[in-house]
Amino acid sequence: MLFIAPLLKRCEAKHVVAAYEVEFEGLPGGDGDQAATEAFVERLARKSGRLRKGGEPDTRTVAVQLINDWQRGRLPHFVAPPCLPRPEAEAEQPEAAADASAPEDSDDGGD
């Protein structure tokens, strides 16, 4: 279950609910993440019928299912690319390129 909380943090709760039709409010953050993750995985195991002897939820199988769904795109998520500062040389380069591509007046036969 160690890997499930980071996956669920990156997904919006509405997408998780739409994919599995199981109640999920998102992760609260901090120490509550592990408990909320375990509760969600147990609900998903009971809903999907993945139970062990005695009716206990098979959380390992459901965790593998969640990872597979993440890898195959069933759980939509978006991670913004990091903002990298542009070096000053690159920032000045587009201006120089614009000056070079401007049409020049040439007197090739206008005499």
Side-chain angles (χ1 to χ4, degrees), residues 67-79:
I67 293 171
N68 285 334
D69 291 345
W70 173 270
Q71 290 175 337
R72 288 171 178 78
R74 184 169 181 212
L75 288 175
H77 61 283
F78 174 76
V79 179

Side-chain angles (χ1 to χ4, degrees), residues 16-95:
V16 176
V17 171
Y20 298 112
E21 298 176 357
V22 174
E23 181 182 337
F24 181 68
E25 299 86 28
L27 299 179
D31 295 334
D33 283 354
Q34 190 64 27
T37 301
E38 288 179 16
F40 171 71
V41 170
E42 287 178 8
R43 285 193 303 268
L44 183 58
R46 291 186 191 283
K47 181 193 178 285
S48 61
R50 298 182 188 270
L51 303 174
R52 305 179 110 193
K53 288 183 180 178
E56 294 200 20
D58 189 358
T59 56
R60 183 187 179 284
T61 304
V62 173
V64 170
Q65 174 191 354
L66 284 167
I67 293 171
N68 285 334
D69 291 345
W70 173 270
Q71 290 175 337
R72 288 171 178 78
R74 184 169 181 212
L75 288 175
H77 61 283
F78 174 76
V79 179
C83 293
L84 300 176
R86 291 177 37 183
E88 290 181 24
E90 277 187 21
E92 294 174 8
Q93 191 174 16
E95 293 172 7

Side-chain angles (χ1 to χ4, degrees), residues 1-11 27 33-34 37:
M1 299 271 239
L2 181 64
F3 302 108
I4 302 303
L7 297 182
L8 293 177
K9 280 184 185 178
R10 291 189 176 195
C11 295
L27 299 179
D33 283 354
Q34 190 64 27
T37 301

